Amino acid sequence: MSDSSGWFYCLTHQTVEHGKGCKGPDRMGPYPDEATAARALEIARERTRSADEADRKYRGEDD
């Protein structure tokens, strides 16, 4: 069961939702507040970039 009490970013509608909204697979979150939910895609990009960098270092590919 998904948490419906926080803030979410809806990938389908590209909007911020609070509480119940679109189906779970279509949403990112929960986030603590509306502003953070609005940055969901930026946060995901930052986390992916960081994980990719950690992978490169782990494999010894860092310069």
Side-chain angles (χ1 to χ4, degrees):
M1 177 173 240
S2 65
D3 178 1
S4 62
S5 62
W7 289 90
F8 298 84
Y9 183 80
C10 175
L11 297 166
T12 302
H13 301 106
Q14 299 180 350
T15 58
V16 173
E17 300 176 341
H18 186 256
K20 292 185 178 181
C22 290
K23 297 180 289 185
D26 298 332
R27 304 192 316 167
M28 298 173 72
Y31 295 97
D33 53 52
E34 184 177 10
T36 306
R39 292 186 53 242
L41 295 177
E42 180 182 345
I43 291 167
R45 278 190 295 272
E46 291 169 359
R47 290 177 179 170
T48 298
R49 200 173 301 125
S50 177
D52 288 347
E53 179 62 26
D55 288 346
R56 281 190 293 277
K57 286 181 181 181
Y58 178 79
R59 293 189 305 258
E61 297 172 2
D62 57 333
D63 294 350

